[in-house]
């Protein structure tokens, strides 16, 4: 739910014993993987949206943001920042982080690789017009020749439904998010990856993910010009 500008402040940043509260802009950005992971775990959450630079500066002034950055997630009495730390906590809390240290290491490697690809997608809307075609080609090249072949091979070799330990994990959530994000820009990107095509169908039909993919969910649409303008307005120096 979108809070009015005057309410996104310390009065809204309270420790909550109930639903996690996410503070970010009303768009994907660095919060979208958090939304995906919570939704995949079947966890309902609330959101406060930053719409002005003044709201963001108030959070900094109030000492809420450890490194003066969002995303901010209030969960279990903590005010968590840094996307990777937030995701690791959620994955561990909801049993999506493997059964032992070796499985966690695999999940971490897969997540880090996917994150590298997602970083390119994250920055794409901010590309100058003359660079968009080149940057899109780079995303396509990295997806097809570097990242997706890894997961195609993993799924083919072990023949299981999930990436790690034959159990649904954070890595699976991150991968289905990435697949769908790349397909928005390059619809035929999975044409040479039959294992990933099957993985996409399996993941998309898991009840919690299927619900998240429905219209009206907390999932944000692809960034548009308005979102880019809001980001530049809120975080301008």
């Amino acid at each position: 739910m979108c809070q009015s500008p005057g309410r996104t402040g310390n009065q809204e940043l309270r420790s909550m014993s109930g639903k996690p509260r996410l503070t970010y802009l009303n768009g994907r950005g660095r919060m979208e993987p958090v939304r995906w992971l919570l939704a995949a775990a079947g966890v309902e959450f609330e959101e406060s949206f930053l719409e002005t630079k003044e709201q963001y500066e108030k959070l900094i002034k109030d000492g809420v943001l450890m490194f003066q950055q969002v995303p901010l997630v209030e969960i279990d009495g903590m005010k968590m920042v840094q996307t990777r730390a937030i995701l690791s906590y959620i994955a561990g809390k909801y049993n999506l982080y493997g059964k032992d240290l070796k499985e966690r290491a695999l999940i971490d490697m897969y997540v880090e690789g996917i994150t590298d690809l997602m970083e390119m997608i994250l920055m794409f809307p901010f590309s100058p017009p003359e660079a968009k075609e080149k940057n899109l080609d780079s995303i396509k090249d990295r997806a097809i020749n570097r990242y997706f072949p890894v997961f195609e091979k993993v799924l083919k070799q072990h023949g299981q439904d999930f990436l790690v330990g034959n159990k649904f994990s954070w890595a699976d959530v991150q991968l289905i998010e990435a697949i769908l994000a790349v397909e928005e820009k390059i619809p035929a990107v999975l044409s040479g990856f039959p294992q990933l095509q099957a993985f996409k169908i399996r993941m998309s039909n898991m009840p919690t993910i299927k619900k998240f993919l429905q219209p009206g969910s907390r999932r944000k649409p692809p960034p548009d010009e308005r979102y880019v303008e809001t980001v530049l307005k809120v975080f301008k120096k």
Side-chain angles (χ1 to χ4, degrees):
M1 62 184 176
C2 183
Q3 303 293 340
S4 62
R7 294 187 64 197
T8 306
N10 221 24
Q11 68 269 37
E12 285 295 335
L13 297 174
R14 56 190 184 278
S15 297
M16 300 185 69
S17 58
K19 297 177 183 178
R21 176 177 290 276
L22 283 50
T23 300
Y24 197 68
L25 287 79
N26 188 12
R28 290 183 181 177
R30 300 189 186 280
M31 187 65 90
E32 194 69 356
V34 178
R35 298 185 186 105
W36 265 93
L37 195 57
L38 286 169
V43 179
E44 293 185 357
F45 55 88
E46 298 177 348
E47 295 192 82
S48 291
F49 298 127
L50 297 175
E51 298 168 352
T52 67
K53 185 174 178 63
E54 290 70 29
Q55 291 173 319
Y56 175 53
E57 289 176 338
K58 185 174 186 344
L59 295 180
I60 296 173
K61 183 180 178 182
D62 291 346
V64 173
L65 304 178
M66 184 180 290
F67 299 108
Q68 302 182 17
Q69 296 172 316
V70 289
L72 167 68
V73 173
E74 295 176 272
I75 185 171
D76 295 342
M78 298 185 292
K79 293 180 174 64
M80 295 195 70
V81 295
Q82 300 299 314
T83 307
R84 175 60 197 248
I86 294 165
L87 290 167
S88 296
Y89 182 82
I90 293 168
K93 178 179 174 68
Y94 295 107
N95 199 25
L96 296 170
Y97 210 175
K99 70 178 187 297
D100 55 33
L101 202 56
K102 286 187 176 181
E103 286 195 356
R104 283 197 169 198
L106 270 178
I107 290 168
D108 284 340
M109 284 194 291
Y110 294 158
V111 164
E112 287 292 328
I114 299 164
T115 301
D116 290 344
L117 177 60
M118 290 299 289
E119 186 72 19
M120 299 174 72
I121 295 170
L122 181 75
M123 298 309 298
F124 180 77
F126 302 92
S127 305
E130 65 274 12
K132 283 194 180 294
E133 184 176 352
K134 178 183 177 182
N135 290 346
L136 186 60
D137 286 342
S138 294
I139 291 171
K140 181 178 180 179
D141 176 68
R142 294 289 180 86
I144 291 175
N145 296 313
R146 179 179 295 188
Y147 296 108
F148 286 175
V150 170
F151 301 107
E152 180 76 9
K153 182 178 179 181
V154 167
L155 291 167
K156 186 175 183 179
Q157 283 183 337
H158 64 39
Q160 298 171 342
D161 287 345
F162 306 106
L163 287 172
V164 178
N166 202 24
K167 184 180 178 184
F168 185 50
S169 77
W170 174 19
D172 299 304
V173 180
Q174 198 98 344
L175 181 55
I176 184 61
E177 180 192 0
I179 286 171
L180 295 178
V182 176
E183 280 189 329
E184 287 173 349
K185 293 176 169 45
I186 308 152
V189 71
L190 291 187
S191 60
F193 301 102
Q195 296 292 330
L196 289 182
Q197 291 175 33
F199 175 85
K200 173 190 165 184
I201 293 170
R202 286 196 302 274
M203 293 301 105
S204 298
N205 283 308
M206 290 190 67
T208 55
I209 292 179
K210 188 173 184 178
K211 181 180 178 181
F212 190 59
L213 294 176
Q214 296 301 310
S217 79
R218 299 283 192 174
R219 187 184 182 211
K220 304 306 180 202
D224 56 14
E225 288 185 11
R226 181 181 177 186
Y227 173 73
V228 170
E229 289 171 1
T230 303
V231 170
L232 297 176
K233 177 178 69 174
V234 172
F235 299 125
K236 67 182 178 183
K237 300 295 184 182

